[in-house]
Amino acid sequence: MPASAPEREAAVRAAFAVQSGWCDKSGAPFTGLLCRLTGERLDRSSLLGNRVLGWPEGADPIRDALPLRICGGLHALVRSGGAPALAALYPPQPVPDPERLWEVLRPVLADPSLLPWIDGPPQTNEVGRSALLMAGLLTLAARFRQPIGLLELGASAGLNLLPDFYAYDLGGRSVGDRDSPVRLQPRWEGPPPPEAIVTIAGRRGVDLNPLDPRRDSERLLAYVWADQQDRIARLEAALAIAAVDPPRVDRGDAADWLDARLTEPAPSGITRVVFHTVAFDYFPPATQARIARRLEETGAGATEEAPLAWLRYEAGPDTFELRLRIWPGGEDRLLADGHPHGSIVRWLIDQP
């Protein structure tokens, strides 16, 4: 039986409560308060309220990240100067009294400029995940000792296609560009990753809606929780690096694109690495199956001189997991687990 309008509205309000709890646990109390107040008090007196509380039958407001669509729109308004009274309460100011925040927030939620933010899911490009990516690339570089060609699925603006442009401290191992303004030093548990030299011979990605680091920087910044000023500063620095020479990110379906890339002749002396970070779960099941099948088929023909690797940082049963599969051979290993933004890494192996 289809859900009634009150049942759909209850599901939407529950989604805001769940997101509020996640924000609180992730050190974003202001964003958590925004979600809680909106979920509890939003009504149908505005176009936004009607659309949100009447979220379509069959849609999942949690999986659709509906609360974060609104948070992104609000943050964009604040950053653009479009909501000065609300901006006065935003971080780095202390978390405001809930009643004071709602008094200012309620009229802003009626701003029609928020409506387009409801039309699509949040799109991020979390640079912190490059710490795990670099650790995986070090593992590959230690194994094959040759340059690496990067192929990213769900690349957004391509910021994680530039791992060699960032500086890292990975469990005491310093790698990357030591003069980079983007410095990644996650809280590290376990031994450091292998010692090796990572040389990037090529980089290319795909996304259904690729973003340009020069034109779309404010959209990306809006989706970072306003409490997390360090993430905002890091993203700004990475966007400035990418804007000089943006990596190529094609518009398209990930499975179609990967079919085309992996049917091209495999270059000898290059390790091809297909990778994605917190993207695979958002692909339709049929797309996931096609990607896995293409990698299996191409991997069957891989050689020591032209190997293929599948590096991914995605949600596991209990935490986020860094996994690496290598062809020839097809061995798959769990390298590490950690925080979804890459701020905590537990390295699980002691040799490449």
Side-chain angles (χ1 to χ4, degrees):
M1 177 183 298
S4 66
E7 288 172 332
R8 295 201 304 273
E9 180 174 320
V12 168
R13 295 192 188 279
F16 278 86
V18 169
Q19 184 62 59
S20 176
W22 287 339
C23 291
D24 289 342
K25 292 176 184 177
S26 299
F30 176 82
T31 305
L33 181 58
L34 271 184
C35 290
R36 179 166 63 82
L37 291 175
T38 303
E40 291 174 353
R41 304 187 188 189
L42 186 68
D43 58 33
R44 296 180 181 269
S45 63
S46 66
L47 291 173
L48 180 75
N50 271 318
R51 284 194 58 188
V52 170
L53 297 177
W55 201 240
E57 171 71 26
D60 184 337
I62 295 178
R63 185 170 178 81
D64 292 346
L66 182 55
L68 296 182
R69 299 185 191 203
I70 293 179
C71 288
L74 290 170
H75 197 188
L77 261 179
V78 164
R79 288 181 59 88
S80 69
L86 183 60
L89 302 180
Y90 256 60
Q93 301 302 319
V95 178
D97 173 76
E99 296 306 320
R100 172 59 181 152
L101 179 58
W102 180 247
E103 178 185 353
V104 173
L105 176 61
R106 183 174 183 177
V108 176
L109 289 172
D111 190 321
S113 70
L114 287 176
L115 290 172
W117 291 85
I118 305 301
D119 293 337
Q123 191 166 5
T124 60
N125 207 170
E126 178 50 60
V127 183
R129 295 171 189 148
S130 275
L132 289 118
L133 172 60
M134 177 55 79
L137 296 180
L138 286 167
T139 303
L140 283 167
R143 166 72 171 78
F144 293 106
R145 302 191 181 278
Q146 61 187 20
I148 288 170
L150 295 176
L151 299 169
E152 184 179 11
L153 310 181
S156 190
L159 302 185
N160 286 323
L161 280 165
L162 302 170
D164 48 329
F165 284 77
Y166 310 144
Y168 306 85
D169 182 337
L170 305 177
R173 191 170 309 290
S174 296
V175 295
D177 179 358
R178 298 187 180 186
D179 296 324
S180 175
V182 177
R183 310 192 67 81
L184 301 177
Q185 185 176 3
R187 194 180 82 197
W188 194 274
E189 301 176 17
E195 184 174 5
I197 296 175
V198 172
T199 302
I200 305 301
R203 59 190 100 225
R204 188 171 175 184
V206 66
D207 200 281
L208 284 175
N209 181 36
L211 299 183
D212 187 304
R214 297 161 300 189
R215 296 191 303 268
D216 299 315
S217 59
E218 281 302 317
R219 183 170 184 82
L220 283 168
L221 288 161
Y223 283 125
V224 180
W225 297 345
D227 312 66
Q228 299 178 334
Q229 297 291 305
D230 57 336
R231 287 181 63 208
I232 292 173
R234 186 173 63 209
L235 178 55
E236 289 175 331
L239 285 165
I241 290 172
V244 176
D245 185 15
R248 178 175 176 179
V249 180
D250 302 317
R251 183 182 301 274
D253 173 82
D256 291 342
W257 183 86
L258 190 62
D259 277 346
R261 301 289 74 75
L262 293 186
T263 52
E264 296 169 350
S268 182
I270 300 290
T271 301
R272 289 186 295 177
V273 181
V274 177
F275 78 97
H276 44 84
T277 61
V278 195
F280 203 71
D281 282 346
Y282 295 98
F283 298 161
T287 299
Q288 295 177 355
R290 286 181 59 201
I291 290 168
R293 186 165 58 249
R294 168 53 63 190
L295 284 161
E296 287 276 6
E297 292 172 354
T298 305
T303 66
E304 289 293 318
E305 294 72 30
L308 176 68
W310 186 11
L311 180 64
R312 63 267 194 213
Y313 187 57
E314 301 286 349
D318 302 309
T319 185
F320 283 75
E321 298 179 344
L322 181 70
R323 289 189 169 272
L324 175 63
R325 189 169 186 188
I326 301 173
W327 292 273
E331 179 189 11
D332 189 85
R333 286 185 293 170
L334 174 63
L335 300 183
D337 57 34
H339 186 276
H341 296 155
S343 58
I344 302 170
V345 178
R346 186 167 67 106
W347 192 253
L348 300 174
I349 62 173
D350 59 8
Q351 59 184 1

